[in-house]
Amino acid sequence: MTTFAELGLAPDILRALDDMGYVTPTPIQEQVIPLALQGGDILGAAQTGTGKTAAFALPLLQRLLPFANSGTSPAKHPIRALILTPTRELAIQVEESVKAYCKHIPLRSLVVYGGVSINTQIPILKTGVEILVATPGRLLDHVQNKTLMLNQVNTLVLDEADRMLDMGFMPDLKRIVALLPAQRVNMMFSATFPEEIRKLADSILNNPTFIEVARNATAVTVTQVVHPVHHERKRALLTHLIKTRDLKQVLVFTGTKLGCNRLANELNKLGLHADAIHGDKTQQERIKALDAFKAGSLRVLVATDVAARGIDIEALPFVVNYDLPHNAEDYVHRIGRTGRAGVKGEAISLVSESETRYLKDIEKLIGTPLEPTIVPGFEPGVADVPAYATRPQRTERPAERLIEHPVDRPAARPVEQGVAPALERSAPRAQRPASRDALFDSPYVPSAAPAAAPAANRQPSRKPVAALFRSPVKPESSEQ
Ligand code: AMP
């Protein structure tokens, strides 16, 4: 097994790695570090969680060692390495790693990103920093304000380049690259390689070595679970899973900012401490939520794709795709939030009928079918409440009162289509609560819910997911 020392890293860097508990290099580190130490351009196909930050940061730092100094003059600390990331969260994360890697080396680093006052960043820039981690927009603000100079940059790193492209940073990137000295080392990392990324690579990199680590493949340490479910029952299923499986730290992805807020609010009402992060939240709000989540005081963090980018939480055990991403590549990014650096994680996708097409795209991209597992009581095609929650003795409301209130099931399918035989047997329709929300408002519900369906009960189905929404589903243990 290769060691970091064998890769040619300097003692001060090895010491920092030792402090951080890194024992052996990850595959991307093993491949990138020796090449980058020699100063070659690199195009890395690596998803998040593979250790790519150290792969580019360690050789970058080593190449800056001759410039390391403790001098106080700003002139002695020009920006020599520029690392661009698509989001603030990733920028913060990368700079934290860089700081840790150069703990024993007098090299300075700083992160600059938008959404916070530029004025706090200026004084630090004035004192001089060798390694600048930045989001493109804020970097250009500084360029325009003449609060930084890029004419001594000898290394450029583009991290998560595909995301930068998705977020419309291409013009900014071109402007930034035009400001850099032509003589420099370039490293570009991307989880996916659409045509535009290849073109970008051609325009920025100089005869790069292409290094591929598990391209488009999901981390092997992530167990992927797919639960087909009626779209109206997703929230109930999510709540059920969190409560019955006693999930303590769950990152939940939604497709929209509105859905993100709504879900966090609803989970809070149901007694699950949740917060939302998305593009409309201030940086302070995002950091506060993220810190609480990392510290374990926030149980559920609901996020959109953009906001969750760069989140690195040691040993994050669960990621839930509440909405499947429309872009299959986002699935790879999302589930890369768990199972990082060899720690086991589980990615749970709640898939409604209309999302089965996205699931197909995902399966195509990751090259493996994802077997659906039906959670008893949440059979796909059944929009109604589960049988266990509908037994007359479980509700506080007398049946007569329920009859007075129209049953609120606008998009419910007729029961016979989705078939929940137990549901029909156990309670006449009129005895069900007035709405599904009423179910969760009731203090009786948690105790009425079945205990965590043991893994054996949540049996994978061999049927294609789409078919599960059409044909009767008879899970063996729907009644517990
Ligand atoms: P990255 O893919 O760079 O975001 O890294 C994912 C996580 O793995 C981060 O928490 C790193 O600190 C950690 N990590 C990176 N390389 C190693 C290594 N060789 N040994 C242990 N942990 C690592």
Side-chain angles (χ1 to χ4, degrees):
M1 200 181 283
T2 318
T3 62
F4 280 108
E6 283 164 354
L7 295 180
L9 291 170
D12 281 343
I13 293 179
L14 295 175
R15 206 143 56 96
L17 296 178
D18 201 37
D19 294 344
M20 295 177 79
Y22 290 16
V23 180
T24 44
T26 65
I28 185 102
Q29 291 162 1
E30 223 172 294
Q31 294 190 59
V32 168
I33 292 171
L35 277 167
L37 283 175
Q38 287 166 21
D41 277 12
I42 284 167
L43 180 57
Q47 65 185 84
T48 182
T50 53
K52 68 181 159 57
T53 312
F56 65 71
L58 299 178
L60 174 158
L61 294 175
Q62 179 139 331
R63 291 181 52 255
L64 293 185
L65 280 179
F67 302 105
N69 73 92
S70 309
T72 50
S73 161
K76 289 189 168 246
H77 304 278
I79 300 171
R80 298 189 189 274
L82 178 63
I83 303 170
L84 295 176
T85 76
T87 64
R88 311 150 190 195
E89 283 78 10
L90 182 61
I92 293 169
Q93 197 68 57
V94 167
E95 201 264 341
E96 270 174 10
S97 297
V98 167
K99 247 197 182 60
Y101 301 145
C102 54
K103 184 173 161 197
H104 304 292
I105 307 165
L107 285 170
R108 302 172 179 178
S109 64
L110 177 70
V111 58
V112 296
Y113 47 83
V116 293
S117 166
I118 197 165
N119 294 327
T120 55
Q121 299 165 354
I122 294 172
I124 309 173
L125 280 170
K126 275 192 181 151
T127 62
V129 295
E130 278 90 0
I131 304 129
L132 184 67
V133 185
T135 52
R138 178 49 61 95
L139 182 76
L140 285 172
D141 292 343
H142 280 291
V143 167
Q144 203 156 1
N145 282 356
K146 298 196 169 43
T147 40
L148 57 75
M149 301 278 282
L150 298 173
N151 59 352
Q152 294 203 52
V153 170
N154 66 22
T155 307
L156 170 69
V157 178
L158 300 185
D159 197 8
E160 301 202 345
D162 48 355
R163 179 58 46 162
M164 284 205 245
L165 221 66
D166 287 351
M167 291 172 69
F169 283 135
M170 193 65 165
D172 285 356
L173 285 182
K174 284 190 175 150
R175 284 181 59 199
I176 293 167
V177 170
L179 297 168
L180 304 178
Q183 273 295 328
R184 55 171 205 269
V185 170
N186 302 288
M187 293 187 257
M188 180 168 145
F189 291 84
S190 193
T192 56
F193 280 80
E195 184 56 30
E196 300 95 304
I197 286 290
R198 292 182 185 277
K199 278 192 197 146
L200 181 70
D202 280 348
S203 69
I204 293 179
L205 307 177
N206 183 15
N207 196 18
T209 306
F210 183 64
I211 291 177
E212 189 172 20
V213 176
R215 184 185 153 205
N216 288 346
T218 43
V220 285
T221 47
V222 180
T223 307
Q224 299 172 70
V225 180
V226 166
H227 293 316
V229 61
H230 191 283
H231 69 274
E232 290 189 4
R233 307 235 47 228
K234 278 194 176 186
R235 192 194 61 199
L237 176 55
L238 175 65
T239 315
H240 171 80
L241 293 172
I242 294 174
K243 286 188 174 174
T244 58
R245 296 187 57 192
D246 198 23
L247 311 185
K248 296 270 193 276
Q249 195 185 32
V250 197
L251 178 61
V252 179
F253 284 95
T254 58
T256 64
K257 297 177 203 168
L258 192 70
C260 185
N261 274 338
R262 197 178 287 156
L263 182 62
N265 286 338
E266 286 165 350
L267 292 175
N268 272 313
K269 280 190 206 149
L270 298 171
L272 295 171
H273 189 198
D275 205 347
I277 56 166
H278 52 68
D280 288 349
K281 293 269 183 179
T282 65
Q283 184 60 15
Q284 279 78 6
E285 286 170 327
R286 290 200 214 180
I287 291 173
K288 194 169 152 236
L290 209 52
D291 285 349
F293 188 59
K294 281 185 185 179
S297 57
L298 180 68
R299 192 167 179 182
V300 189
L301 184 64
V302 190
T304 55
D305 289 288
V306 166
R309 204 73 177 161
I311 293 179
D312 179 18
I313 295 160
E314 214 155 289
L316 174 65
F318 297 101
V319 165
V320 175
N321 291 306
Y322 188 80
D323 299 319
L324 267 199
H326 297 192
N327 178 351
E329 282 146 6
D330 283 338
Y331 176 85
V332 176
H333 288 301
R334 284 181 181 188
I335 79 164
R337 306 282 125 221
T338 184
R340 287 162 89 77
V343 181
K344 282 199 167 49
E346 185 173 330
I348 303 167
S349 299
L350 311 188
V351 182
S352 67
E353 187 170 12
S354 65
E355 291 174 312
T356 50
R357 60 198 156 124
Y358 304 129
L359 186 66
K360 271 195 199 137
D361 292 345
I362 289 165
E363 290 175 327
K364 211 160 124 195
L365 181 73
I366 64 173
T368 168
L370 296 172
E371 280 190 3
T373 305
I374 295 164
V375 179
F378 297 89
E379 289 71 29
V382 182
D384 219 324
V385 293
Y388 63 77
T390 62
R391 290 175 191 126
Q393 67 272 26
R394 293 290 189 193
T395 174
E396 285 177 299
R397 297 161 200 225
E400 307 76 49
R401 281 211 51 208
L402 289 169
I403 293 165
E404 276 167 29
H405 297 279
V407 175
D408 172 25
R409 278 177 289 113
R413 283 160 171 264
V415 169
E416 53 278 11
Q417 257 188 48
V419 182
L423 192 109
E424 283 301 279
R425 265 201 316 274
S426 60
R429 267 174 183 273
Q431 288 176 339
R432 287 173 206 146
S435 70
R436 284 180 313 285
D437 292 13
L439 256 182
F440 290 99
D441 291 337
S442 154
Y444 282 75
V445 171
S447 58
N457 278 351
R458 288 182 272 109
Q459 286 170 351
S461 166
R462 297 267 161 209
K463 284 189 181 181
V465 179
L468 295 173
F469 286 90
R470 288 188 289 273
S471 61
V473 173
K474 290 181 188 151
E476 278 169 20
S477 51
S478 66
E479 186 134 82
Q480 303 199 8

